[in-house]
Amino acid sequence: MARIITIREALREGMSEEMRRDPNVFLMGEEVAEYNGAYKVSQGMLDEFGPKRVIDTPIAELGFAAIGVGAAQNGLRPIVEFMTWNFAVLALDQILNTASKMLAMSGGQVSCPIVFRGPNGSAGQLGAQHSTAFESYYANIPGIKVISISNAYDAKGLMKAAIRDNDPVMFMESELMYGDKGEVPEEEYIIPIGKADVKKQGRDVTIVSYNKMMKVALGAAAELEKEGISAEVIDLRTIRPLDWMTILESVKKTNRLVIVDEQWPMCSVSSEIAYRIQKEGFDYLDAPIRRITAADAPLHYAPNLVAAALPDVPKTVNLVKEVMYMKK
Amino acid sequence: MYWYELMYLIRQFELMAEEKYKMEGKIRGFFHAYVGQEAIAAGCMTATRIEDPFVTGYRDHGLALAKGVSPESCMAELYGKATGCAKGKGGSMHFFGKDVAFFGGHGIVGAQIGTGAGLAFAEKYKGTDNVSLSFFGDGAARQGILHEIFNMAMTWKLPAIFLCENNNYAMGTSVARTSNVQDIYKLADAYEMPADSIDGMSPEAVHDAVARAVKRAREGGGPTLIELKTYRYKGHSISDPQKYRTKDEVEEYKQRDPIEHVLNTILENKFATQEEIDAINKRVNDKVAESVRFAEESPWPNEDEVLKDIVMEPNYPFIVD
């Protein structure tokens, strides 16, 4: 029996089920408890689990991230919510220099099982400082895992996997998608970290994306379908480790690859994918690998500038036609 | 006697390691000696239990030895050998001993203040009465994380003790040049955290202050800041020419040497005879010599260790090209 729930409900179910299962799991962050979450992801969790396990923090990202990291080293499994990943930059020292390196520096003695989660990327006219997509920043770091979700089913299954994982996991959501509804099974399920998902089968071109850019990828595929072009669409779901085998298998069939990526272009997720596929799949490619990223600039405020700076369906359709040599 | 033996061990270990660094080049990297600050390790050990987690900065040799990480594995770590206390992956700044609740030496100034509060958070959450001790220098006291952590530690009454080893110099910058507030213990006032300023050259004074703070924390009374006025005889690191202070100043502090002080107390009060002290000295010197032999004879880590201990997951697909 499947149910239709929102992404915020799916995330909440994932966290709550794991908190019922393991008393060492707890949630901390700004406004997660009494306010029920800035985006209502943790609504009702304080009532169920009490203030010991659902903890409001002061606005001190570095400090509460540090407490989470220290607690993780000493036997707990914290979930630390950032109101947005833009604010997590203040905590990057703890994530990069402590959480990601502790196992290595201690010669395998001290692990750090912790989940950092929150919304990521642009969300309309929020201006430059609330609009950065951070997947590529964290994906660069050895020792951690990076998940970026696009739908309710993945949100719940991957949240449960992230909490049970024994390494630090960065879990990226989107303000714009918390209300998106999707089908979720009644029974318990877990989605393994590091597995991409082929959302739509196709023959002519492979489109790879993740997080809310999946809407662009799927929208473009639907448009292309009308013109008789069959696009295969892959949702990465996990950015690190990257499931490039699934992309390669698809490219072997379609011989063309387009990546839709909300990162800035330099050293982006698409850069890494393009490297990997040219190396492993050179003989299968009938066209250069192409990508659409966010513009190489901070995101401005005006609505037309937001639209101009981000990937969208028409840009993606055009790019697919270019790699199919259909454009004049 | 415990104090004397521990402090003498730390001193001799550091002097031997420095010799192996400078004279023989067998130890490399940044190297920060604990010489002069031994009384802090000694006083803290007698005021705590082995289960109480410790975390410190990069001047970590003394506290690791005090906690019970073996001199052999410490020396092997300095040599970068597979038998080191972090398998040769940490080096001087990153000694670890989780089995003795030593959560390491950390290289980012002040970051371990947060780790220590997190260790305390976990102890409280699990319902133990263990207390965490976080050590940091006067330089770290100027980092923002200290204030964020003091605020939360007090709000949540974490069983955390914050120990500022004030050795007067953040690398080459004196305390007087880093802040308008030179009494670091006063930083606790903004959070209504109990605080003490203590002679860090005296193991008795350290013990008494830490014991008071530990008692309060175990009973649910929350954190304490203890400023320990101490002095490092050596430079900030092994490569420090120490142009920011005079030789006279160093000599003045050496007159108050904690090891000499404890030794005099022992002999004056006839707690032990000179022969007994000589026996301790020989035991310690043998132990340090043995640690060098152990380190020199130990193997380097296998090269396949590069991609081990990175993640807990056994079959992680590392990128190898």
Side-chain angles (χ1 to χ4, degrees):
Chain A
M1 262 295 284
R3 299 165 295 132
I4 305 291
I5 62 172
T6 62
I7 286 183
R8 71 163 54 81
E9 290 167 324
L11 292 167
R12 185 188 311 145
E13 285 188 5
M15 290 193 287
S16 296
E17 285 179 16
E18 292 307 299
M19 285 177 68
R20 284 174 209 129
R21 178 178 171 269
D22 181 351
N24 287 329
V25 180
F26 68 95
L27 173 66
M28 74 191 309
E30 294 155 3
E31 309 289 5
V32 298
E34 296 194 10
Y35 194 85
N36 280 308
Y39 296 101
K40 304 295 173 225
V41 172
S42 56
Q43 189 150 36
M45 289 178 68
L46 174 64
D47 289 344
E48 178 175 356
F49 298 105
K52 182 188 170 191
R53 301 181 67 195
V54 182
I55 303 162
D56 280 326
T57 67
I59 301 172
E61 283 83 6
L62 175 61
F64 68 73
I67 289 177
V69 169
Q73 291 175 45
N74 199 11
L76 303 186
R77 289 181 172 272
I79 308 166
V80 175
E81 176 176 313
F82 293 121
M83 201 178 285
T84 142
W85 277 95
N86 292 276
F87 303 161
V89 178
L90 290 156
L92 182 59
D93 175 57
Q94 283 293 322
I95 297 171
L96 167 62
N97 280 319
T98 304
S100 84
K101 294 176 179 168
M102 212 38 52
L103 191 67
M105 273 164 49
S106 67
Q109 292 178 67
V110 181
S111 63
C112 195
I114 186 169
V115 176
F116 292 102
R117 52 156 289 266
N120 177 61
S122 66
Q125 292 175 261
L126 299 184
Q129 292 181 328
H130 286 71
S131 300
T132 304
F134 284 96
E135 283 91 345
S136 57
Y137 283 78
Y138 292 96
N140 184 244
I141 303 173
I144 67 175
K145 294 164 184 173
V146 182
I147 292 167
S148 191
I149 53 102
S150 71
N151 61 75
Y153 176 79
D154 291 350
K156 181 174 178 183
L158 282 164
M159 177 56 69
K160 288 168 70 75
I163 294 167
R164 292 188 195 188
D165 199 89
N166 291 318
D167 296 308
V169 179
M170 313 296 119
F171 199 98
M172 311 227 171
E173 304 151 14
S174 166
E175 291 97 329
L176 292 179
M177 295 200 303
Y178 284 130
D180 287 6
K181 291 183 175 168
E183 212 170 86
V184 167
E186 197 67 60
E187 65 277 7
E188 181 174 54
Y189 68 100
I190 289 182
I191 298 172
I193 294 171
K195 295 277 176 257
D197 186 23
V198 179
K199 303 301 282 191
K200 177 183 172 302
Q201 298 280 339
R203 296 180 313 274
D204 301 327
V205 62
T206 301
I207 304 176
V208 171
S209 193
Y210 53 94
N211 203 288
K212 68 177 179 294
M213 287 301 136
M214 277 304 296
K215 292 184 184 182
V216 173
L218 289 166
E223 285 299 310
L224 290 162
E225 202 75 37
K226 292 178 196 163
E227 300 184 41
I229 299 166
S230 166
E232 181 143 306
V233 182
I234 296 173
D235 184 349
L236 288 178
R237 304 198 290 191
T238 301
I239 311 301
R240 183 188 184 95
L242 181 70
D243 181 10
W244 57 268
M245 285 294 288
T246 295
I247 305 172
L248 181 66
E249 287 310 309
S250 176
V251 168
K252 283 181 181 174
K253 183 170 63 173
T254 64
N255 312 113
R256 290 174 171 83
L257 176 59
V258 166
I259 306 155
V260 184
D261 190 357
E262 202 193 325
Q263 312 292 301
W264 287 317
M266 185 82 181
C267 306
S268 69
V269 174
S270 53
S271 313
E272 182 64 25
I273 294 171
Y275 168 75
R276 182 61 47 195
I277 298 305
Q278 67 81 28
K279 175 174 180 281
E280 310 291 345
F282 189 75
D283 292 340
Y284 297 99
L285 287 168
D286 286 347
I289 299 167
R290 297 291 300 274
R291 63 176 179 180
I292 306 178
T293 65
D296 197 11
L299 195 66
H300 306 299
Y301 169 73
N304 62 323
L305 296 181
V306 171
L310 295 176
D312 62 15
V313 169
K315 290 175 197 166
T316 307
V317 167
N318 281 342
L319 197 57
V320 166
K321 288 179 179 173
E322 279 190 36
V323 302
M324 297 192 69
Y325 302 111
M326 292 168 68
K327 269 208 111 199
K328 300 184 285 291
Chain B
M1 299 292 280
Y2 167 80
W3 282 344
Y4 176 76
E5 182 160 355
L6 174 59
M7 291 194 294
Y8 189 68
L9 170 66
I10 295 171
R11 177 75 55 94
Q12 295 307 108
F13 179 91
E14 294 288 52
L15 294 177
M16 178 65 86
E18 188 173 280
E19 185 184 320
K20 295 294 165 193
Y21 193 115
K22 284 187 167 165
M23 308 305 287
E24 298 179 29
K26 294 195 167 153
I27 299 168
R28 301 284 76 177
F30 295 125
F31 179 105
H32 310 82
Y34 205 62
V35 175
Q37 303 182 207
E38 298 92 343
I40 294 170
C44 286
M45 284 311 295
T46 48
T48 56
R49 302 188 297 233
I50 198 70
E51 307 82 45
D52 293 323
F54 282 28
V55 64
T56 186
Y58 41 76
R59 197 176 305 284
D60 61 348
H61 310 166
L63 288 164
L65 290 166
K67 259 306 208 180
V69 183
S70 76
E72 288 86 353
S73 71
C74 288
M75 192 63 82
E77 190 59 36
L78 292 176
Y79 273 66
K81 296 297 184 72
T83 53
C85 61
K87 297 191 197 165
K89 295 180 174 185
S92 165
M93 297 188 288
H94 308 307
F95 282 11
F96 282 82
K98 197 176 181 192
D99 56 332
V100 289
F102 183 64
F103 283 83
H106 294 255
I108 306 300
V109 174
Q112 77 277 13
I113 300 170
T115 305
L119 297 171
F121 180 98
E123 296 297 347
K124 182 173 179 173
Y125 188 99
K126 290 185 283 190
T128 75
D129 67 348
N130 295 336
V131 172
S132 83
L133 272 68
S134 312
F135 300 81
F136 54 97
D138 45 283
R142 309 310 184 193
Q143 287 275 28
I145 191 168
L146 174 133
H147 295 273
E148 296 188 20
I149 291 299
F150 278 15
N151 182 44
M152 279 181 274
M154 269 311 283
T155 307
W156 299 338
K157 297 290 180 287
L158 299 182
I161 301 172
F162 302 105
L163 300 111
C164 179
E165 299 180 90
N166 179 355
N167 62 22
N168 268 329
Y169 292 97
M171 201 163 159
T173 305
S174 67
V175 168
R177 294 202 292 129
T178 60
S179 175
N180 189 45
V181 181
Q182 294 179 30
D183 288 320
I184 289 168
Y185 73 94
K186 288 183 183 166
L187 297 179
D189 291 351
Y191 307 97
E192 299 180 357
M193 186 190 294
D196 245 332
S197 181
I198 297 297
D199 176 8
M201 306 300 273
S202 158
E204 299 97 317
V206 173
H207 171 94
D208 290 348
V210 174
R212 277 195 301 275
V214 165
K215 181 168 186 293
R216 176 162 49 235
R218 290 210 206 287
E219 290 168 355
T224 302
L225 170 63
I226 302 175
E227 179 182 4
L228 302 150
K229 299 237 164 127
T230 182
Y231 203 78
R232 58 171 153 77
Y233 297 175
K234 303 288 178 177
H236 162 72
S237 73
I238 209 159
S239 54
D240 176 5
Q242 304 179 59
K243 291 191 173 149
Y244 48 84
R245 62 183 187 184
T246 63
K247 290 213 162 62
D248 288 348
E249 182 182 304
V250 178
E251 284 311 312
E252 196 182 310
Y253 273 94
K254 285 189 179 173
Q255 299 305 314
R256 299 169 48 205
D257 185 71
I259 300 178
E260 291 296 321
H261 161 74
V262 168
L263 181 59
N264 289 338
T265 306
I266 289 171
L267 293 175
E268 278 167 21
N269 292 287
K270 299 196 174 15
F271 294 144
T273 64
Q274 185 61 49
E275 289 69 40
E276 286 168 313
I277 295 296
D278 290 346
I280 291 175
N281 290 354
K282 180 172 185 322
R283 185 160 72 229
V284 167
N285 288 328
D286 287 351
K287 207 185 275 187
V288 172
E290 169 59 22
S291 76
V292 170
R293 191 195 59 75
F294 177 80
E296 297 200 343
E297 291 176 2
S298 288
W300 298 107
N302 285 329
E303 283 182 19
D304 67 1
E305 285 289 325
V306 167
L307 291 181
K308 289 186 180 166
D309 303 321
I310 311 304
V311 287
M312 294 289 286
E313 186 180 329
N315 298 312
Y316 184 85
F318 290 100
I319 296 173
V320 290
D321 66 342

